[in-house]
Structure formats: C-alpha cells, structure tokens
Amino acid sequence: MSAGDQVLNIGSVSLPIASATLTAGLPDPYWCDTYNNGHGKDLRWRLEIRAQETQVDDDYWAPVLYVEHLAFPTRDWCQLETQEYVWDQPFDKYTSEPNGGFYVFEHANIGKGRLRFVGRDGRRFAVRWDGLCDIHWNATFGSDVAFSLAAQPTFTHVFVDGSERDTSATLRARLDTFLNVADFD
C-alpha cells in the first residue's frame, strides 16, 4: 500500500490520510485498584487515524477516527497483522468502553465497525476499517453514516504507567506479562 492508497471515504467524500499511529498502554494497577474498582489492568491498544483537512461544501473537515481500548489475544505485537475487531453497538457490553470514536465537529460514536489488520512491514501495519459513524452535520452526514478507510499506522511505543511503588524491574515484569519484552528496545 502506498501513501496515495491511504484514504478515508465518508459517504461520497474521500479524504487523504494525514497520519496514523498505533500505541499500547498498560495502566498503573494501584490506580486501577484505588479509582477503578480493580478494573482495566490489561494491556490496551490505541489506534488513531487523522485525515488531511479538506473542504467539504462550505466547511473544512479534518476527521479523526480512534479506538482506545483494543485487546488482542497475543503476546507478540507482530501478530497484530492478523487481528480483527468487530462490533455492532457503540459501547463494549463487558467494559462499557466506547468501541470507537469519530471526530469531525464533535466526538461521536462508531456504532458499528469492522477493523482489520491485514498486513505488516516492520512497524507499519496495513489496516482496513469500515462501519457506521455519527457526524451530526446535516441530513446527509447525520447518524449512521457509512465510512471506510485504508491506512498504514505506525506502531510507535508502549506506555507503562506506574506509581512511586514501582521500579524499572517491576514495570518491565508487568509489561512482560502482556508482551514479549525481549521484542523491544
């Protein structure tokens, strides 16, 4: 996939992709226990796709699509290239987290979606994403607007949050529970 093949289609509008990043995060378990009833201690992947600002009728759009709480059943980040995430409602029924977000003029839900990782070249992944989003702009771009995209997000880093109780060794050990630490610099 070349840079020119990276595009977001929203209804009849096509916008080139400006940036695409993939990151992962591991929260501080002390924070989860204290403020989140012990929930959310797992590794979560975050994908963010930004389209280039483009004039649509009399306005300028620079949409952002994002998923902040992806979980995959692998310890090898390279195997993300075979993963798929599908949903048919705005919020995850187990975690109550949003399944995906779409921003044009305000943050809105992606009520139905299919996100596929279809290839990898080093730290760059090829993704395909389609679904129904809310834009709330006019009758044509209101709710349940069809979209599709092809993009190449770059895996940039993993955040491991900790508290004053943690050391480099405890942070590394916690990360090693979810990902093969030897695979990273």
Side-chain angles (χ1 to χ4, degrees):
M1 176 188 307
S2 68
D5 296 333
Q6 296 189 79
V7 64
L8 168 61
N9 296 301
I10 309 169
S12 61
V13 175
S14 292
L15 303 103
I17 301 299
S19 67
T21 57
L22 177 67
T23 60
L26 189 57
D28 173 18
Y30 173 76
W31 185 93
C32 291
D33 288 341
T34 305
Y35 301 104
N36 201 25
N37 296 321
H39 301 291
K41 295 181 188 179
D42 296 333
L43 182 76
R44 295 291 183 215
W45 292 89
R46 182 178 200 283
L47 176 65
E48 181 179 284
I49 313 278
R50 293 181 173 272
Q52 287 183 5
E53 184 175 68
T54 303
Q55 186 171 358
V56 177
D57 295 332
D58 293 330
D59 284 307
Y60 286 89
W61 291 19
V64 180
L65 288 82
Y66 53 92
V67 177
E68 298 180 331
H69 302 284
L70 291 169
F72 297 114
T74 181
R75 288 179 34 86
D76 182 352
W77 68 270
C78 295
Q79 291 182 0
L80 294 183
E81 72 179 303
T82 63
Q83 301 298 311
E84 179 177 75
Y85 184 60
V86 179
W87 64 96
D88 61 3
Q89 54 192 4
F91 298 93
D92 184 274
K93 62 182 173 183
Y94 301 109
T95 67
S96 299
E97 297 288 347
N99 280 319
F102 202 101
Y103 178 85
V104 178
F105 302 107
E106 62 184 70
H107 292 277
N109 296 320
I110 297 176
K112 182 177 184 178
R114 180 178 181 215
L115 172 62
R116 296 173 293 138
F117 289 75
V118 297
R120 184 180 66 81
D121 182 12
R123 294 183 306 120
R124 290 179 65 96
F125 288 86
V127 298
R128 302 288 187 271
W129 193 355
D130 56 77
L132 300 175
C133 65
D134 296 337
I135 297 176
H136 307 298
W137 187 47
N138 61 21
T140 303
F141 296 100
S143 298
D144 293 331
V145 179
F147 75 90
S148 65
L149 75 76
Q152 292 183 350
T154 300
F155 175 33
T156 58
H157 58 273
V158 178
F159 288 105
V160 181
D161 292 329
S163 66
E164 65 278 356
R165 299 167 187 204
D166 283 302
T167 65
S168 293
T170 61
L171 293 172
R172 182 176 287 274
R174 200 161 73 242
L175 177 60
D176 197 47
T177 303
F178 297 97
L179 291 172
N180 299 322
V181 173
D183 293 342
F184 295 94
D185 296 334

